[in-house]
Amino acid sequence: MHSSHWPRPLSDLLPHPPATDGTPPAARTARRLRGHSLQAEEAFQTGLAQTHAYHQQHGHLAVPKEDTPADYPLGQWLANTRARHTRMPAHQAGALHALYPWWNVPWSTLWQRTWHQARDHAEAHGPLEPARGFPATSYSLGEWLYLQCTRYPTLHPEQQRLLTHIGLDAAAVAAARPRRRNLKAGAEEALAHARSYAAGHGSLASMTSATVHEGFRLGQWLANQRNYQRTGHRPLPAGRAQALAAIDPWWCPPWHLKWQRSYDRARSAADRRPLRPGSSFIDLDDSLSTRWLRRQCSTYDELSEEQQQLLAGIGITTEVARATRDHARTTPKRRTAAPTADVKDTSGHAIGAAGSATL
């Protein structure tokens, strides 16, 4: 049994009676109750204040573990609190339950956040229509709702009750139909995610096929668009290619994506500190970008005109590239002198590297 649940001496809780002559009892120092930490209580109150602010803004406490609203690690704090919920004092658990009854549920916080999204949609756009495949919802939300209908018998009873709140009772679930994929709506959703990603990262070059952005498999979708664009096996609609070019003109460059990613990294390094080609870029705080820029200068004539124009945008013009290349060729490389072993002359005295005998 945890120490917080041990019996407490009543003498620690009851006040001392007054003396026989009526003199009030002397004030005594407050004793720390067994299993109680003032520091832990203060930390809990700080976290509770953050949960109040988050709940007031979002209406729930299904906070992603990595979220840090107002620079406070609220997601991690809630995850830790849920992990020790069996050892929490009753007043702490009661405070969180009073704020949000589903703060510690046996299902994932992602499920809870999506349920709130579905509830908000139903309140804003009217009742859901499971028999028609949830036509008014976004594609991802409609897919999630239909998935809950197919898994309804295996859901937790409280999950079933929550679904009832948004109109998905047993009868509605039985009548649910799968969502027909609307290719145009799916592409618009993917483009919206691409705009959001580019706004945060500056371009689409750093994205890989494994990238997931806000729950959407954006990396795989963009990899498919690049494959269609390059092979021509399944040409992209003109409007979609133009929309991607408006987000990032080099979303599908004719050269290898590794070059584009290295360029974006070097551009970010140059934004933080201007390039100084005369010093071979050694003043940059990114050694990988330094080596990459030197390599581009040495192979500058082999680059395409578009690549040269991109490099010119960060200060690597033809003249700069050639000057940097010539400087690298004429600058002697530093060599570390190998230690020379001492030898002995015929008299037995040691002779150093300078060739003189030591007396």
Side-chain angles (χ1 to χ4, degrees):
M1 182 183 295
H2 192 268
S3 60
S4 62
H5 299 289
W6 291 354
R8 298 174 177 173
L10 291 178
S11 60
D12 291 349
L13 303 176
L14 298 177
H16 283 304
T20 56
D21 58 356
T23 305
R28 60 177 179 173
T29 305
R31 297 182 60 183
R32 181 177 65 86
L33 299 180
R34 184 178 297 161
H36 181 74
S37 169
L38 294 178
Q39 183 178 3
E41 183 65 26
E42 292 175 356
F44 175 81
Q45 294 301 327
T46 301
L48 185 63
Q50 294 292 333
T51 60
H52 272 280
Y54 189 93
H55 183 270
Q56 186 175 8
Q57 181 179 359
H58 298 88
H60 61 82
L61 293 182
V63 187
K65 190 175 181 179
E66 64 277 4
D67 273 17
T68 56
D71 294 330
Y72 182 83
L74 182 59
Q76 185 64 58
W77 182 85
L78 279 170
N80 295 340
T81 305
R82 295 186 188 104
R84 63 178 183 87
H85 72 279
T86 57
R87 304 189 303 273
M88 288 177 61
H91 73 279
Q92 294 183 357
L96 287 170
H97 182 81
L99 180 61
Y100 185 66
W102 300 286
W103 73 275
N104 183 29
V105 290
W107 51 85
S108 68
T109 55
L110 177 59
W111 192 98
Q112 195 67 20
R113 288 196 300 274
T114 312
W115 178 85
H116 277 277
Q117 182 183 353
R119 187 194 64 177
D120 295 343
H121 181 276
E123 291 178 353
H125 301 90
L128 301 173
E129 299 179 86
R132 297 181 54 199
F134 308 98
T137 64
S138 64
Y139 180 76
S140 58
L141 181 58
E143 286 289 289
W144 182 86
L145 287 168
Y146 180 70
L147 184 62
Q148 306 316 304
C149 295
T150 60
R151 297 178 177 178
Y152 189 81
T154 64
L155 295 177
H156 192 279
E158 278 296 305
Q159 287 177 296
Q160 295 178 357
R161 189 169 69 86
L162 287 173
L163 290 176
T164 302
H165 290 339
I166 58 176
L168 296 182
D169 54 14
V173 165
R177 294 293 179 267
R179 178 71 175 270
R180 291 186 178 181
R181 184 170 181 82
N182 186 323
L183 296 179
K184 183 177 180 180
E188 289 299 327
E189 182 182 6
L191 288 171
H193 282 286
R195 293 186 187 94
S196 175
Y197 184 92
H201 296 79
S203 70
L204 299 177
S206 61
M207 191 184 310
T208 66
S209 60
T211 301
V212 177
H213 181 66
E214 297 179 354
F216 184 82
R217 298 181 62 186
L218 182 60
Q220 186 60 59
W221 179 85
L222 186 60
N224 293 340
Q225 310 311 303
R226 287 170 175 156
N227 184 54
Y228 300 151
Q229 181 77 354
R230 288 169 177 165
T231 62
H233 175 69
R234 183 179 173 183
L236 285 181
R240 189 181 309 172
Q242 292 174 1
L244 284 168
I247 297 172
D248 180 5
W250 302 106
W251 70 275
C252 185
W255 44 83
H256 200 282
L257 276 172
K258 185 177 179 180
W259 191 95
Q260 195 66 27
R261 290 168 184 154
S262 299
Y263 167 78
D264 281 352
R265 180 168 181 162
R267 182 182 61 183
S268 298
D271 289 341
R272 295 190 299 268
R273 182 172 296 180
L275 297 180
R276 294 177 60 189
S279 62
S280 297
F281 316 109
I282 60 174
D283 54 334
L284 289 181
D285 55 0
D286 187 346
S287 60
L288 291 178
S289 295
T290 297
R291 291 195 296 269
W292 185 82
L293 286 170
R294 291 173 182 170
R295 188 161 58 251
Q296 302 315 302
C297 291
S298 64
T299 60
Y300 187 83
D301 296 334
E302 302 173 12
L303 299 177
S304 67
E305 183 178 352
E306 292 85 358
Q307 288 173 302
Q308 293 177 357
Q309 290 175 356
L310 287 174
L311 290 174
I314 59 175
I316 309 297
T317 61
T318 303
E319 295 75 13
V320 170
R322 292 175 179 173
T324 303
R325 181 177 54 196
D326 295 341
H327 180 267
R329 290 175 178 174
T330 57
T331 302
K333 296 183 178 180
R334 296 181 180 179
R335 295 182 179 179
T336 303
T340 304
D342 291 342
V343 296
K344 294 183 179 180
D345 62 3
T346 56
S347 62
H349 294 289
I351 300 177
S356 59
T358 56
L359 300 179

